């Protein structure tokens, strides 16, 4: 390859000298290798490449479909030859602009000149590199003007050098603080579940334009919270359960306004349904004759906790898919959700504590299906054995269904 150059900033962190620069899609496609074997064994690198292939198509689609696309910097290892660093002479500009400490700026501002013999590979950002390559092959005109931030570091291609580069890869991926699930719901502009969760938060009338919804990072409401019916992450989890009731149009991005509005109608239909047909919800939202403090005391009413709200969404989705919401509407009030003495004692509720293990949540859902006549004899027998283990009661017997099995 012929010589080329890029303007950049030079910096130091620990014992790494790095260069921050910009590269075009064409430069990335031509100059950054698909992979560089820095792993202890080829099978480990092969595993990473298989993982890589599963995600790059989505990145490529993002690049060619989104006008407001953006990436964080790709970290690139350079080996086999070192580019030449030429720092800028800012003496004239410093004199004309009366710039103090110009030496510090000159040390960091310059040009990297490559002779074309260097080899490059992505230490962090392999998915982005491959996504850029696919997007360029698919529709080069869409990204021809894009400039991608890159950070270049020197890689020594021997055993100690590979260890050092692997450690850098590990530090970047292990020690970086990831965005919490709650924050993802707040900021995500692509995923339909998150977009609709925020729309429900802001617009659903019974939530008083968000006043009844907490914006917290965890699905568990804060202990002692008697002001919020649920939190944003709970709405997101509810949407995941309801998603099976919605099918977006082919060729239309998930985040398109028509999809958001259509799925919002699904989500609010569920909320309207349970407010109308679940007695304690109706009492709280419509009649205003009970309070969160009363319903949450000793965690007595499980459906006023996130785990119970999500359970109701699962039930609604099940009956809606089979066009039997009228059955659920008629019999929902017959389920004893309050503890002690309710159907979830020692399953979701245990002496005032919430039992949130996955096996408990699944069993609670299956118990509701049993009570609502959705289980055959074999399924009910298996459920009884499962609940004997969960409740640690060998004599546990399933309660009698409120309606006869179909």
């Amino acid at each position: 390859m012929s010589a080329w150059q890029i303007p950049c900033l030079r910096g130091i962190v620990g014992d790494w000298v790095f260069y921050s620069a910009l590269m075009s899609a064409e430069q990335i496609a031509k100059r950054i290798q698909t992979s560089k074997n820095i792993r202890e064994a080829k099978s480990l690198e092969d595993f990473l490449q298989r993982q890589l292939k599963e995600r790059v198509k989505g990145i490529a689609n993002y690049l060619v479909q989104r006008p407001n696309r953006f990436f964080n910097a790709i970290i690139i290892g350079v080996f086999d030859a070192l580019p030449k660093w030429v720092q800028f002479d800012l003496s004239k500009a410093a004199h004309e602009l009366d710039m103090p400490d110009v030496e510090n700026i000159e040390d960091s501002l310059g040009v990297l000149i490559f002779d074309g013999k260097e080899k490059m590979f992505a230490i962090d950002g392999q998915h982005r590199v491959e996504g850029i390559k696919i997007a360029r092959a698919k529709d080069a005109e869409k990204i021809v003007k894009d400039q991608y931030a890159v950070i270049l570091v020197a890689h020594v291609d021997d055993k100690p050098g590979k260890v050092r580069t692997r450690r850098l890869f590990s530090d970047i991926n292990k020690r970086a603080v990831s965005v919490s699930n709650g924050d993802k719901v707040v900021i995500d502009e692509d995923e339909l579940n998150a977009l609709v969760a925020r729309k429900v938060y802001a617009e659903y009338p019974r939530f008083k334009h968000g006043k009844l919804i907490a914006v917290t990072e965890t699905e568990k409401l804060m202990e002692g919270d008697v002001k919020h019916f649920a939190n944003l992450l709970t709405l997101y989890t509810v949407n995941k359960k309801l998603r099976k009731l919605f099918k977006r149009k082919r060729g239309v991005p998930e985040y398109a306004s028509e999809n958001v509005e259509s799925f919002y109608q699904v989500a609010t239909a569920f909320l309207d349904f349970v407010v109308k047909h679940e007695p304690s919800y109706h009492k709280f939202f419509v009649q205003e004759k009970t309070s969160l403090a009363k319903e949450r005391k000793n965690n007595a009413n499980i459906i006023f906790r996130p785990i119970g709200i999500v359970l109701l969404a699962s039930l609604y989705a099940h009956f809606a898919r089979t066009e039997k919401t009228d059955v659920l509407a008629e019999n929902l009030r017959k389920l004893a959700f309050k503890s002690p003495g309710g159907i979830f004692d020692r399953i979701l509720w245990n002496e005032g504590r919430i039992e949130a293990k996955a096996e408990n949540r699944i069993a609670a859902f299956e118990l509701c299906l049993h009570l609502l006549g959705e289980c055959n004899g074999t399924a009910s027998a298996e459920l009884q054995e499962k609940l004997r283990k969960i409740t640690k009661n060998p004599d546990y017997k399933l309660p009698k269904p409120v309606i006869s099995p179909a």
Side-chain angles (χ1 to χ4, degrees):
M1 288 188 181
S2 59
W4 61 292
Q5 61 280 322
I6 48 176
C8 59
L9 297 172
R10 182 174 66 174
I12 299 174
V13 174
D15 62 358
W16 286 98
V17 177
F18 67 91
Y19 301 86
S20 297
L22 301 172
M23 291 179 69
S24 66
E26 182 179 6
Q27 288 173 324
I28 287 173
K30 287 183 177 180
R31 302 187 183 278
I32 301 181
Q33 296 183 2
T34 300
S35 98
K36 179 70 185 80
N37 187 8
I38 63 168
R39 303 286 141 205
E40 296 90 332
K42 186 177 183 297
S43 59
L44 296 178
E45 180 65 19
D46 290 342
F47 170 78
L48 287 180
Q49 293 308 314
R50 288 195 299 272
Q51 297 294 97
L52 184 151
K53 289 179 181 178
E54 293 174 4
R55 296 176 57 186
V56 294
K57 290 182 180 179
I59 293 174
N61 290 335
Y62 167 78
L63 287 173
V64 298
Q65 293 175 3
R66 288 287 293 272
N68 57 343
R69 57 190 174 272
F70 193 79
F71 276 163
N72 55 342
I74 299 165
I75 300 180
I76 298 171
V78 182
F79 68 109
D80 269 11
L82 292 177
K84 182 180 179 181
W85 164 254
V86 179
Q87 67 184 49
F88 291 150
D89 181 357
L90 299 178
S91 56
K92 184 176 179 180
H95 176 73
E96 292 178 356
L97 300 175
D98 192 24
M99 295 167 58
D101 300 325
V102 71
E103 293 84 3
N104 292 333
I105 299 175
E106 286 181 329
D107 286 344
S108 298
L109 189 61
V111 175
L112 273 181
I113 301 175
F114 299 83
D115 64 12
K117 297 178 181 178
E118 302 85 0
K119 295 179 182 177
M120 298 181 176
F121 69 100
I123 295 173
D124 181 64
Q126 291 186 67
H127 300 89
R128 280 163 278 159
V129 168
E130 296 307 308
I132 290 168
K133 291 180 180 181
I134 292 174
R136 179 175 174 271
K138 186 176 182 180
D139 195 342
E141 288 300 313
K142 285 282 183 69
I143 60 172
V144 67
K145 295 183 180 180
D146 285 3
Q147 294 176 297
Y148 302 99
V150 297
I151 297 174
L152 300 107
V153 298
H155 166 72
V156 181
D157 205 33
D158 57 17
K159 187 172 182 179
K162 290 181 179 181
V163 170
R164 185 168 186 259
T165 301
R166 284 201 304 270
R167 184 170 289 116
L168 175 61
F169 176 88
S170 174
D171 286 346
I172 291 166
N173 289 280
K174 220 167 70 174
R175 303 183 192 283
V177 179
S178 61
V179 179
S180 69
N181 288 333
D183 286 346
K184 287 178 183 176
V185 180
V186 173
I187 66 176
D188 199 308
E189 291 295 336
D190 294 313
E191 189 184 0
L192 188 59
N193 296 333
L195 291 167
V196 173
R198 297 203 301 270
K199 188 174 176 65
V200 170
Y201 166 85
E203 299 180 16
Y204 186 61
R206 298 200 184 278
F207 292 159
K208 300 180 180 180
H209 303 290
K211 291 182 180 179
L212 280 178
I213 306 298
V215 183
T216 60
E217 294 187 358
T218 61
E219 193 155 340
K220 180 181 178 182
L221 287 171
M222 294 177 292
E223 291 296 327
D225 186 345
V226 294
K227 294 182 179 180
H228 301 106
F229 169 73
N231 59 18
L232 194 58
L233 190 54
T234 303
L235 298 184
Y236 172 82
T237 308
V238 164
N239 286 347
K240 290 174 70 175
K241 301 298 182 182
L242 300 176
R243 185 64 182 268
K244 60 188 70 173
L245 303 179
F246 173 79
K247 188 175 182 179
R248 68 180 177 91
K249 293 182 180 178
R250 286 180 174 270
V252 179
E254 184 171 302
Y255 53 81
S257 58
E258 59 190 283
N259 282 330
V260 174
E261 182 58 38
S262 182
F263 188 38
Y264 174 76
Q265 297 302 322
V266 173
T268 54
F270 158 69
L271 292 168
D272 288 341
F273 178 91
V274 290
V275 167
K276 180 178 180 180
H277 297 291
E278 205 297 309
S280 56
Y281 276 5
H282 189 79
K283 191 175 181 181
F284 174 74
F285 285 106
V286 180
Q287 298 175 325
E288 298 183 351
K289 291 184 178 180
T290 189
S291 67
L292 293 172
K294 181 178 179 181
E295 299 296 337
R296 289 214 178 108
K297 185 177 181 180
N298 202 33
N299 286 317
N301 196 342
I302 202 74
I303 61 171
F304 277 83
R305 301 294 294 179
I307 196 171
I309 301 167
V310 174
L311 172 62
L312 288 178
S314 298
L315 288 172
Y316 177 83
H318 173 87
F319 282 89
R321 287 185 75 184
T322 53
E323 299 182 349
K324 295 194 295 184
T325 52
D326 56 329
V327 175
L328 183 62
E330 183 179 349
N331 294 283
L332 189 59
R333 66 186 68 250
K334 298 176 184 178
L335 301 182
F337 290 131
K338 292 186 178 182
S339 296
I343 59 174
F344 298 132
D345 286 2
R346 301 187 69 82
I347 301 170
L348 296 181
W349 185 92
N350 191 352
E351 297 182 358
R353 300 191 314 275
I354 300 294
E355 298 285 358
K357 293 179 181 177
E359 62 178 347
N360 295 61
R361 297 197 304 268
I362 294 170
F365 172 68
E366 293 173 349
L367 176 58
C368 289
L369 293 183
H370 160 78
L371 291 169
L372 294 169
E374 293 291 299
C375 289
N376 58 33
T378 301
S380 293
E382 291 175 352
L383 175 61
Q384 179 165 278
E385 288 304 310
K386 182 187 297 185
L387 289 174
R388 284 178 176 176
K389 293 178 181 178
I390 289 175
T391 61
K392 298 179 181 178
N393 177 7
D395 297 321
Y396 176 90
K397 291 184 179 181
L398 286 174
K400 186 178 179 181
V402 298
I403 55 177
S404 300

